[in-house]
Amino acid sequence: CSMLQSADRPAADGSATAIVPLPDELPLELQSHSGEPQIVVKMASGRSGVAHLQQPPRTARLCWQPCSRLCGIQQFWFVQDACGITCAAFTWLLLLFAEAVLLFVVLIPAPSLAFKIVGAIVYHCLAFMAGCSHVRAVLTDPGTVPLNNDTKENLLRLAPAAGDGQQERVVYRCPRCSCIKPERAHHCSICRRCVRRMDHHCPWVNNCVGEGNQKFFILFTGYIALTSFFAIYLCIHEFIICIGTEWQGE
């Protein structure tokens, strides 16, 4: 009895579930011994309940050794999406605009030298960390599931353990990219890849937020929040100084 079932069979609720056949040599290698449960590969249904046509992924892996050593990334991950690239570029334009306003409107005209130095150092440290976190979130693989991962080792590793009395260990194949999906993996329609522990696709970082880059995304949002609060404090401080100067002049 083969551990891999490659024929269509009804699901537990009575609906028909597509069983995707794997290469012919795999069932011969994955044979059950002493009554072990079978490994069944089922087609995971999308939100519409129907399979979709496969499309090539919009992702690319780039490797540039000098920049890789500087950023600590072995291979750059880049999503070729026009909307995401535009939003990521607009994010940097907003950072540069805030930089110009803070320098030429708040810090440079300030009368106190200590206020200028301390404010510039703190703000630029926070802005630098926010920029670095954004770059890492954009260029880091979010945890995509490898394509063509329907090997014997992956099936045995990804198939959940069978409970008492169960005769099957079920794994699911994505109907869009045809990869075997681990638990908590979801398909991104923009990247056209399955991502482990995917949270959402964020256009502001032109990437999915998943297992591989979630830390950098949280750091980016945290540093942006701190930078914004500190910039608001500097603006309020400068406003109070201007008001006090005008009152003293009167």
Coordinates of all heavy atoms in Angstrom, one line a residue, residues 42-135:
K42 N -3.5 17.0 -1.1 CA -4.7 17.6 -1.6 C -4.5 19.0 -2.1 O -3.6 19.7 -1.6 CB -5.8 17.6 -0.4 CG -6.2 16.3 0.1 CD -7.3 16.4 1.1 CE -7.8 15.0 1.6 NZ -8.9 15.2 2.6
M43 N -5.3 19.4 -3.0 CA -5.2 20.7 -3.6 C -5.9 21.7 -2.7 O -7.1 21.5 -2.4 CB -5.8 20.8 -5.0 CG -5.7 22.1 -5.6 SD -4.1 22.5 -6.2 CE -3.9 21.5 -7.6
A44 N -5.2 22.7 -2.1 CA -5.8 23.7 -1.3 C -6.7 24.6 -2.1 O -6.3 25.1 -3.1 CB -4.7 24.5 -0.6
S45 N -7.9 24.8 -1.7 CA -8.9 25.6 -2.4 C -8.6 27.1 -2.0 O -8.3 27.4 -0.9 CB -10.3 25.2 -2.1 OG -10.6 25.4 -0.7
G46 N -8.8 28.0 -3.0 CA -8.6 29.4 -2.8 C -9.9 30.0 -2.2 O -10.9 29.3 -1.9
R47 N -10.0 31.3 -2.1 CA -11.1 31.9 -1.5 C -12.4 31.7 -2.4 O -13.5 31.6 -1.9 CB -10.9 33.4 -1.4 CG -9.8 33.8 -0.3 CD -9.6 35.3 -0.2 NE -8.6 35.6 0.8 CZ -8.2 36.8 1.1 NH1 -8.8 37.8 0.5 NH2 -7.3 37.0 2.0
S48 N -12.2 31.6 -3.7 CA -13.3 31.4 -4.6 C -13.7 29.9 -4.7 O -14.7 29.6 -5.3 CB -13.0 32.0 -6.0 OG -11.8 31.3 -6.5
G49 N -12.8 29.1 -4.1 CA -13.1 27.6 -4.2 C -12.7 27.0 -5.5 O -12.9 25.8 -5.6
V50 N -12.0 27.7 -6.4 CA -11.6 27.1 -7.6 C -10.1 27.3 -7.8 O -9.5 28.2 -7.2 CB -12.4 27.7 -8.8 CG1 -13.9 27.4 -8.7 CG2 -12.2 29.2 -8.9
A51 N -9.5 26.5 -8.6 CA -8.1 26.6 -8.9 C -7.8 27.7 -9.8 O -8.7 28.1 -10.7 CB -7.5 25.3 -9.4
H52 N -6.7 28.4 -9.8 CA -6.3 29.5 -10.6 C -5.2 29.1 -11.6 O -4.4 28.1 -11.3 CB -5.9 30.7 -9.8 CG -6.9 31.2 -8.9 ND1 -7.8 32.2 -9.2 CD2 -7.3 30.8 -7.6 CE1 -8.6 32.5 -8.2 NE2 -8.3 31.6 -7.2
L53 N -5.1 29.8 -12.7 CA -4.0 29.5 -13.6 C -2.7 29.9 -13.0 O -2.6 30.9 -12.3 CB -4.3 30.3 -14.9 CG -5.5 29.9 -15.7 CD1 -5.6 30.8 -16.9 CD2 -5.4 28.4 -16.2
Q54 N -1.7 29.1 -13.2 CA -0.4 29.4 -12.6 C 0.2 30.6 -13.4 O 0.1 30.7 -14.6 CB 0.5 28.2 -12.8 CG 0.1 27.0 -11.9 CD 1.0 25.8 -12.0 OE1 2.2 26.0 -12.3 NE2 0.6 24.6 -11.7
Q55 N 0.9 31.5 -12.7 CA 1.5 32.6 -13.2 C 2.9 32.7 -12.7 O 3.2 32.3 -11.6 CB 0.8 33.9 -12.8 CG -0.6 34.0 -13.4 CD -1.4 35.2 -12.9 OE1 -1.2 35.7 -11.8 NE2 -2.1 35.8 -13.8
P56 N 3.9 33.2 -13.5 CA 5.3 33.3 -13.1 C 5.4 34.3 -11.9 O 4.7 35.3 -11.9 CB 6.0 33.8 -14.3 CG 4.9 34.5 -15.2 CD 3.7 33.7 -14.9
P57 N 6.3 34.0 -11.0 CA 6.4 34.9 -9.8 C 7.0 36.3 -10.2 O 7.7 36.4 -11.2 CB 7.4 34.1 -8.9 CG 8.1 33.2 -9.8 CD 7.2 32.8 -10.9
R58 N 6.7 37.3 -9.4 CA 7.2 38.6 -9.7 C 8.4 38.9 -8.9 O 8.7 40.1 -8.7 CB 6.1 39.6 -9.3 CG 4.9 39.7 -10.3 CD 3.9 40.7 -9.8 NE 2.8 40.9 -10.8 CZ 1.7 41.5 -10.6 NH1 1.5 42.0 -9.4 NH2 0.8 41.6 -11.5
T59 N 9.1 37.9 -8.4 CA 10.2 38.2 -7.5 C 11.5 37.8 -8.2 O 11.5 37.0 -9.2 CB 10.1 37.3 -6.3 OG1 9.9 35.9 -6.7 CG2 8.9 37.7 -5.5
A60 N 12.6 38.4 -7.8 CA 13.9 38.2 -8.3 C 14.9 38.1 -7.2 O 14.8 38.9 -6.2 CB 14.3 39.2 -9.4
R61 N 15.9 37.3 -7.3 CA 17.0 37.2 -6.4 C 18.2 37.8 -7.0 O 18.7 37.4 -8.1 CB 17.3 35.8 -5.9 CG 16.1 35.2 -5.1 CD 16.5 33.8 -4.7 NE 15.4 33.1 -4.0 CZ 15.2 33.2 -2.7 NH1 16.0 33.9 -2.0 NH2 14.2 32.6 -2.1
L62 N 18.8 38.9 -6.4 CA 20.0 39.5 -6.9 C 21.1 39.4 -5.9 O 20.9 39.3 -4.7 CB 19.7 41.0 -7.1 CG 18.4 41.3 -8.0 CD1 18.2 42.8 -8.0 CD2 18.6 40.8 -9.4
C63 N 22.3 39.3 -6.4 CA 23.5 39.2 -5.5 C 24.6 40.2 -6.0 O 25.0 40.1 -7.1 CB 24.0 37.8 -5.6 SG 25.4 37.5 -4.4
W64 N 24.9 41.1 -5.1 CA 26.0 42.1 -5.4 C 26.9 42.0 -4.1 O 26.5 42.5 -3.1 CB 25.4 43.5 -5.6 CG 26.4 44.5 -6.0 CD1 27.6 44.2 -6.8 CD2 26.5 45.9 -5.7 NE1 28.3 45.4 -7.0 CE2 27.6 46.4 -6.3 CE3 25.6 46.7 -5.0 CZ2 28.0 47.7 -6.2 CZ3 26.0 48.0 -4.9 CH2 27.1 48.5 -5.5
Q65 N 28.0 41.4 -4.3 CA 28.9 41.1 -3.1 C 29.2 42.3 -2.2 O 29.1 42.2 -1.0 CB 30.1 40.4 -3.6 CG 29.9 39.0 -4.2 CD 29.3 38.1 -3.2 OE1 29.5 38.2 -2.0 NE2 28.5 37.1 -3.7
P66 N 29.7 43.4 -2.8 CA 30.1 44.5 -1.8 C 28.9 45.0 -1.0 O 29.0 45.2 0.2 CB 30.5 45.7 -2.8 CG 30.9 44.9 -4.0 CD 30.0 43.8 -4.2
C67 N 27.7 45.2 -1.6 CA 26.6 45.7 -0.9 C 26.0 44.6 0.0 O 25.4 44.9 1.1 CB 25.5 46.2 -1.9 SG 24.2 47.2 -1.1
S68 N 26.1 43.3 -0.4 CA 25.7 42.2 0.4 C 26.5 42.2 1.7 O 25.9 42.0 2.8 CB 25.8 40.9 -0.3 OG 25.0 40.9 -1.5
R69 N 27.8 42.3 1.7 CA 28.6 42.4 2.9 C 28.2 43.5 3.8 O 28.2 43.5 5.0 CB 30.1 42.4 2.6 CG 30.6 41.0 2.0 CD 32.1 41.0 1.9 NE 32.6 42.0 1.0 CZ 32.9 41.8 -0.3 NH1 32.7 40.6 -0.8 NH2 33.3 42.8 -1.0
L70 N 27.9 44.7 3.2 CA 27.6 45.9 3.9 C 26.3 45.8 4.6 O 26.1 46.2 5.8 CB 27.6 47.1 3.0 CG 27.3 48.5 3.6 CD1 28.3 48.8 4.7 CD2 27.2 49.6 2.6
C71 N 25.3 45.2 4.0 CA 23.9 45.2 4.5 C 23.7 43.9 5.3 O 22.7 43.8 6.0 CB 22.9 45.2 3.4 SG 22.9 46.8 2.5
G72 N 24.6 42.9 5.2 CA 24.4 41.6 5.9 C 23.4 40.7 5.2 O 22.8 39.9 5.9
I73 N 23.1 40.9 3.9 CA 22.1 40.1 3.2 C 22.9 39.2 2.2 O 23.6 39.8 1.4 CB 21.1 40.9 2.5 CG1 20.4 41.9 3.5 CG2 20.0 40.1 1.8 CD1 19.4 42.9 2.9
Q74 N 22.7 37.9 2.3 CA 23.4 37.1 1.3 C 22.9 37.3 -0.1 O 23.7 37.4 -1.0 CB 23.2 35.6 1.7 CG 23.8 35.3 3.1 CD 25.3 35.4 3.1 OE1 26.0 35.2 2.1 NE2 25.8 35.8 4.3
Q75 N 21.6 37.3 -0.3 CA 21.0 37.5 -1.6 C 19.9 38.5 -1.4 O 19.0 38.4 -0.5 CB 20.4 36.2 -2.1 CG 21.4 35.4 -3.0 CD 20.8 34.3 -3.7 OE1 19.8 33.7 -3.3 NE2 21.3 33.9 -4.8
F76 N 19.8 39.5 -2.3 CA 18.8 40.5 -2.3 C 17.5 39.9 -2.8 O 17.5 39.2 -3.8 CB 19.2 41.7 -3.1 CG 20.3 42.5 -2.4 CD1 21.4 42.8 -3.1 CD2 20.1 43.0 -1.2 CE1 22.5 43.5 -2.5 CE2 21.1 43.8 -0.6 CZ 22.3 44.0 -1.3
W77 N 16.4 40.3 -2.2 CA 15.1 39.8 -2.6 C 14.3 41.1 -3.1 O 14.2 42.1 -2.4 CB 14.3 39.2 -1.5 CG 12.9 38.9 -1.7 CD1 11.8 39.6 -1.5 CD2 12.4 37.7 -2.3 NE1 10.7 39.0 -1.9 CE2 11.0 37.8 -2.4 CE3 13.0 36.5 -2.8 CZ2 10.2 36.8 -2.9 CZ3 12.2 35.5 -3.3 CH2 10.8 35.7 -3.4
F78 N 13.8 41.0 -4.4 CA 13.2 42.2 -4.9 C 11.9 41.8 -5.6 O 11.9 40.9 -6.5 CB 14.1 42.9 -5.9 CG 13.6 44.2 -6.4 CD1 13.6 45.3 -5.5 CD2 13.1 44.4 -7.7 CE1 13.1 46.5 -6.0 CE2 12.7 45.6 -8.1 CZ 12.6 46.7 -7.3
V79 N 10.8 42.5 -5.3 CA 9.5 42.2 -5.9 C 9.3 43.2 -7.1 O 9.4 44.4 -6.9 CB 8.4 42.4 -4.9 CG1 7.0 42.1 -5.6 CG2 8.6 41.4 -3.7
Q80 N 9.1 42.7 -8.3 CA 9.0 43.5 -9.5 C 7.5 43.9 -9.6 O 6.8 43.4 -10.5 CB 9.5 42.8 -10.7 CG 11.0 42.4 -10.5 CD 11.4 41.4 -11.6 OE1 10.6 41.0 -12.5 NE2 12.7 41.1 -11.7
D81 N 7.1 44.8 -8.8 CA 5.7 45.3 -8.8 C 5.7 46.8 -9.0 O 6.3 47.5 -8.1 CB 4.9 44.9 -7.6 CG 3.5 45.4 -7.5 OD1 2.8 45.2 -8.5 OD2 3.2 46.1 -6.6
A82 N 5.1 47.4 -10.0 CA 5.2 48.8 -10.2 C 4.6 49.6 -9.1 O 5.2 50.7 -8.7 CB 4.5 49.2 -11.6
C83 N 3.4 49.2 -8.6 CA 2.8 50.0 -7.5 C 3.6 49.9 -6.2 O 3.8 50.9 -5.6 CB 1.4 49.4 -7.2 SG 0.5 50.2 -5.9
G84 N 4.2 48.8 -5.9 CA 5.0 48.7 -4.7 C 6.3 49.5 -4.8 O 6.7 50.1 -3.9
I85 N 6.9 49.5 -6.0 CA 8.1 50.3 -6.2 C 7.8 51.7 -6.1 O 8.6 52.5 -5.4 CB 8.8 50.0 -7.6 CG1 9.2 48.5 -7.7 CG2 9.9 50.9 -7.9 CD1 9.7 48.1 -9.0
T86 N 6.7 52.2 -6.6 CA 6.3 53.6 -6.5 C 6.1 54.0 -5.0 O 6.5 55.0 -4.5 CB 5.0 53.8 -7.3 OG1 5.3 53.5 -8.7 CG2 4.6 55.3 -7.2
C87 N 5.4 53.1 -4.3 CA 5.1 53.4 -2.8 C 6.4 53.4 -2.0 O 6.6 54.2 -1.1 CB 4.1 52.4 -2.3 SG 2.4 52.5 -2.9
A88 N 7.3 52.5 -2.3 CA 8.6 52.4 -1.6 C 9.4 53.7 -1.9 O 10.0 54.3 -0.9 CB 9.4 51.2 -1.9
A89 N 9.4 54.1 -3.1 CA 10.1 55.3 -3.5 C 9.5 56.6 -2.8 O 10.2 57.5 -2.3 CB 10.2 55.5 -5.0
F90 N 8.2 56.6 -2.8 CA 7.4 57.7 -2.1 C 7.7 57.7 -0.6 O 7.8 58.8 0.0 CB 5.9 57.6 -2.4 CG 5.1 58.7 -1.9 CD1 5.3 60.0 -2.5 CD2 4.3 58.6 -0.8 CE1 4.5 61.1 -2.1 CE2 3.5 59.7 -0.4 CZ 3.7 60.9 -1.0
T91 N 8.0 56.6 0.0 CA 8.3 56.5 1.4 C 9.6 57.3 1.6 O 9.8 58.1 2.6 CB 8.5 55.1 1.9 OG1 7.2 54.4 1.7 CG2 8.8 55.0 3.3
W92 N 10.6 57.1 0.8 CA 11.9 57.7 0.9 C 11.8 59.2 0.6 O 12.5 60.1 1.2 CB 12.9 57.1 0.0 CG 13.5 55.9 0.6 CD1 13.1 54.6 0.5 CD2 14.6 55.8 1.5 NE1 13.9 53.7 1.2 CE2 14.8 54.5 1.9 CE3 15.4 56.8 2.1 CZ2 15.8 54.1 2.8 CZ3 16.4 56.4 3.0 CH2 16.6 55.1 3.3
L93 N 10.9 59.6 -0.3 CA 10.7 61.0 -0.6 C 10.1 61.7 0.7 O 10.4 62.9 1.0 CB 9.7 61.2 -1.8 CG 10.3 60.8 -3.2 CD1 9.2 61.0 -4.2 CD2 11.5 61.7 -3.5
L94 N 9.2 61.0 1.4 CA 8.6 61.6 2.6 C 9.7 61.8 3.7 O 9.7 62.8 4.4 CB 7.5 60.7 3.1 CG 6.2 60.7 2.3 CD1 5.2 59.7 2.9 CD2 5.6 62.1 2.2
L95 N 10.6 60.8 3.8 CA 11.7 60.9 4.7 C 12.6 62.1 4.4 O 13.0 62.8 5.3 CB 12.5 59.6 4.8 CG 11.8 58.4 5.4 CD1 12.7 57.1 5.3 CD2 11.5 58.6 6.9
L96 N 12.9 62.3 3.1 CA 13.8 63.4 2.7 C 13.1 64.7 2.9 O 13.7 65.7 3.3 CB 14.2 63.2 1.2 CG 15.1 62.0 1.0 CD1 15.4 61.9 -0.5 CD2 16.4 62.1 1.7
F97 N 11.8 64.8 2.7 CA 11.0 66.0 2.9 C 11.0 66.4 4.4 O 11.2 67.5 4.7 CB 9.6 65.8 2.4 CG 8.7 67.0 2.6 CD1 8.8 68.2 1.9 CD2 7.8 67.0 3.6 CE1 8.0 69.3 2.1 CE2 6.9 68.1 3.9 CZ 7.1 69.2 3.1
A98 N 10.8 65.4 5.2 CA 10.8 65.7 6.7 C 12.2 66.1 7.1 O 12.4 67.0 8.0 CB 10.4 64.4 7.4
E99 N 13.3 65.5 6.5 CA 14.6 65.9 6.8 C 14.9 67.4 6.4 O 15.4 68.2 7.2 CB 15.6 65.0 6.0 CG 17.0 65.5 6.0 CD 17.7 65.0 7.3 OE1 17.2 64.2 8.0 OE2 18.9 65.5 7.5
A100 N 14.4 67.8 5.3 CA 14.6 69.2 4.8 C 13.8 70.2 5.7 O 14.4 71.2 6.1 CB 14.2 69.3 3.3
V101 N 12.6 69.8 6.0 CA 11.8 70.7 6.9 C 12.4 70.9 8.2 O 12.5 72.0 8.8 CB 10.4 70.2 7.0 CG1 9.6 71.0 8.0 CG2 9.7 70.3 5.6
L102 N 12.9 69.8 8.8 CA 13.4 69.9 10.2 C 14.7 70.6 10.2 O 15.0 71.4 11.1 CB 13.6 68.4 10.7 CG 13.8 68.3 12.2 CD1 12.5 68.6 12.9 CD2 14.3 67.0 12.6
L103 N 15.6 70.5 9.2 CA 16.8 71.2 9.1 C 16.7 72.7 8.9 O 17.2 73.5 9.7 CB 17.7 70.6 8.1 CG 18.4 69.3 8.4 CD1 19.3 68.8 7.3 CD2 19.3 69.4 9.7
F104 N 15.9 73.0 7.8 CA 15.9 74.4 7.4 C 14.9 75.3 8.1 O 14.9 76.5 8.0 CB 15.7 74.5 5.9 CG 16.9 73.8 5.1 CD1 16.7 72.6 4.5 CD2 18.1 74.5 5.0 CE1 17.8 72.0 3.8 CE2 19.1 73.9 4.3 CZ 19.0 72.7 3.7
V105 N 13.9 74.6 8.7 CA 12.8 75.4 9.3 C 12.9 75.4 10.8 O 12.6 76.4 11.5 CB 11.4 74.8 8.9 CG1 10.3 75.6 9.6 CG2 11.2 74.9 7.4
V106 N 13.4 74.2 11.4 CA 13.4 74.1 12.9 C 14.8 74.2 13.4 O 15.1 75.1 14.3 CB 12.8 72.8 13.3 CG1 12.8 72.6 14.8 CG2 11.4 72.7 12.8
L107 N 15.8 73.4 13.0 CA 17.1 73.4 13.7 C 18.0 74.5 13.3 O 18.6 75.2 14.2 CB 17.7 72.0 13.3 CG 17.1 70.8 13.9 CD1 17.8 69.5 13.4 CD2 17.0 70.8 15.4
I108 N 18.2 74.8 12.0 CA 19.1 75.9 11.7 C 18.7 77.2 12.2 O 19.5 78.0 12.7 CB 19.3 75.9 10.1 CG1 20.0 74.6 9.7 CG2 20.1 77.1 9.7 CD1 20.2 74.5 8.2
P109 N 17.4 77.6 12.1 CA 17.1 79.0 12.7 C 17.0 79.0 14.2 O 16.8 80.1 14.8 CB 15.7 79.2 12.1 CG 15.5 78.3 11.0 CD 16.3 77.1 11.4
A110 N 17.2 77.9 14.9 CA 17.0 77.9 16.4 C 18.2 78.7 17.0 O 19.3 78.6 16.6 CB 17.1 76.4 16.9
P111 N 17.9 79.5 18.0 CA 18.9 80.3 18.6 C 19.9 79.5 19.5 O 21.1 80.0 19.7 CB 18.1 81.3 19.5 CG 16.9 80.6 19.8 CD 16.6 79.7 18.6
S112 N 19.5 78.4 20.0 CA 20.4 77.7 20.9 C 21.3 76.7 20.1 O 20.8 75.8 19.4 CB 19.6 76.9 22.0 OG 20.4 76.1 22.8
L113 N 22.6 76.7 20.3 CA 23.5 75.8 19.7 C 23.4 74.4 20.2 O 23.4 73.4 19.4 CB 25.0 76.3 19.8 CG 26.0 75.4 19.2 CD1 25.8 75.4 17.7 CD2 27.4 76.0 19.5
A114 N 23.2 74.3 21.5 CA 23.0 73.0 22.1 C 21.7 72.3 21.6 O 21.7 71.1 21.3 CB 23.0 73.1 23.6
F115 N 20.7 73.1 21.4 CA 19.4 72.5 20.9 C 19.6 72.0 19.5 O 19.1 71.0 19.1 CB 18.4 73.6 20.9 CG 17.1 73.2 20.3 CD1 16.2 72.4 21.0 CD2 16.7 73.6 19.0 CE1 15.0 72.0 20.4 CE2 15.5 73.3 18.5 CZ 14.6 72.4 19.1
K116 N 20.4 72.8 18.7 CA 20.7 72.3 17.3 C 21.4 71.0 17.2 O 21.1 70.1 16.5 CB 21.5 73.4 16.6 CG 20.8 74.7 16.3 CD 21.7 75.7 15.6 CE 21.0 77.0 15.4 NZ 21.9 78.0 14.7
I117 N 22.5 70.9 18.0 CA 23.4 69.8 18.0 C 22.6 68.5 18.5 O 22.6 67.5 17.9 CB 24.7 70.0 18.8 CG1 25.5 71.1 18.1 CG2 25.5 68.7 18.9 CD1 26.7 71.5 18.9
V118 N 22.0 68.6 19.7 CA 21.4 67.5 20.3 C 20.2 67.0 19.4 O 20.0 65.9 19.1 CB 20.9 67.8 21.7 CG1 20.1 66.6 22.3 CG2 22.1 68.1 22.6
G119 N 19.4 68.0 18.9 CA 18.3 67.7 18.1 C 18.7 67.0 16.8 O 18.0 66.0 16.4
A120 N 19.7 67.5 16.2 CA 20.2 66.9 14.9 C 20.7 65.5 15.1 O 20.4 64.6 14.3 CB 21.2 67.8 14.3
I121 N 21.5 65.3 16.2 CA 22.0 64.0 16.4 C 20.9 62.9 16.7 O 20.9 61.9 16.1 CB 23.1 64.0 17.6 CG1 24.3 64.8 17.2 CG2 23.4 62.6 18.0 CD1 25.3 65.0 18.3
V122 N 20.0 63.3 17.6 CA 19.0 62.3 17.9 C 18.1 62.0 16.7 O 17.8 60.9 16.4 CB 18.1 62.8 19.1 CG1 17.0 61.9 19.4 CG2 19.0 63.0 20.4
Y123 N 17.7 63.1 16.0 CA 16.8 62.9 14.9 C 17.5 62.0 13.8 O 16.8 61.1 13.3 CB 16.3 64.2 14.3 CG 15.5 64.1 13.1 CD1 14.1 63.8 13.2 CD2 16.0 64.2 11.8 CE1 13.3 63.6 12.1 CE2 15.2 64.0 10.7 CZ 13.9 63.7 10.9 OH 13.1 63.5 9.8
H124 N 18.7 62.4 13.5 CA 19.4 61.6 12.4 C 19.7 60.2 12.8 O 19.7 59.3 11.9 CB 20.6 62.4 12.0 CG 20.4 63.6 11.2 ND1 20.2 64.8 11.7 CD2 20.2 63.8 9.8 CE1 20.0 65.7 10.8 NE2 20.0 65.1 9.6
C125 N 19.9 59.9 14.0 CA 20.1 58.5 14.5 C 18.8 57.7 14.3 O 18.8 56.6 13.7 CB 20.5 58.5 15.9 SG 22.3 59.0 16.2
L126 N 17.7 58.3 14.7 CA 16.4 57.6 14.5 C 16.1 57.5 13.0 O 15.6 56.4 12.6 CB 15.3 58.4 15.2 CG 15.4 58.4 16.8 CD1 14.3 59.3 17.4 CD2 15.3 57.0 17.4
A127 N 16.3 58.5 12.2 CA 16.0 58.4 10.8 C 16.9 57.4 10.1 O 16.4 56.7 9.2 CB 16.1 59.8 10.2
F128 N 18.1 57.4 10.5 CA 19.1 56.4 9.9 C 18.6 55.0 10.2 O 18.6 54.1 9.3 CB 20.5 56.6 10.4 CG 21.5 55.6 9.9 CD1 22.0 55.7 8.6 CD2 21.9 54.6 10.8 CE1 22.9 54.8 8.2 CE2 22.8 53.7 10.3 CZ 23.3 53.8 9.0
M129 N 18.2 54.7 11.5 CA 17.8 53.3 11.8 C 16.5 53.0 11.1 O 16.3 51.8 10.7 CB 17.6 53.2 13.3 CG 18.9 53.4 14.1 SD 20.2 52.2 13.7 CE 19.4 50.7 14.1
A130 N 15.6 54.0 10.9 CA 14.4 53.7 10.2 C 14.7 53.4 8.7 O 14.1 52.5 8.1 CB 13.4 54.9 10.2
G131 N 15.6 54.1 8.1 CA 16.0 53.9 6.7 C 16.6 52.5 6.5 O 16.3 51.8 5.6
C132 N 17.5 52.1 7.5 CA 18.1 50.8 7.4 C 17.1 49.7 7.5 O 17.1 48.7 6.8 CB 19.2 50.7 8.5 SG 20.7 51.7 8.2
S133 N 16.2 49.9 8.5 CA 15.1 48.8 8.7 C 14.2 48.7 7.4 O 13.8 47.6 7.1 CB 14.3 49.2 9.9 OG 15.1 49.3 11.0
H134 N 14.0 49.9 6.8 CA 13.1 49.8 5.6 C 13.9 49.1 4.5 O 13.2 48.3 3.7 CB 12.8 51.3 5.1 CG 11.9 51.3 4.0 ND1 12.3 51.4 2.7 CD2 10.5 51.3 3.9 CE1 11.3 51.5 1.9 NE2 10.2 51.4 2.6
V135 N 15.1 49.3 4.3 CA 15.9 48.6 3.3 C 15.9 47.1 3.5 O 15.7 46.3 2.6 CB 17.3 49.2 3.2 CG1 18.2 48.4 2.3 CG2 17.3 50.6 2.7

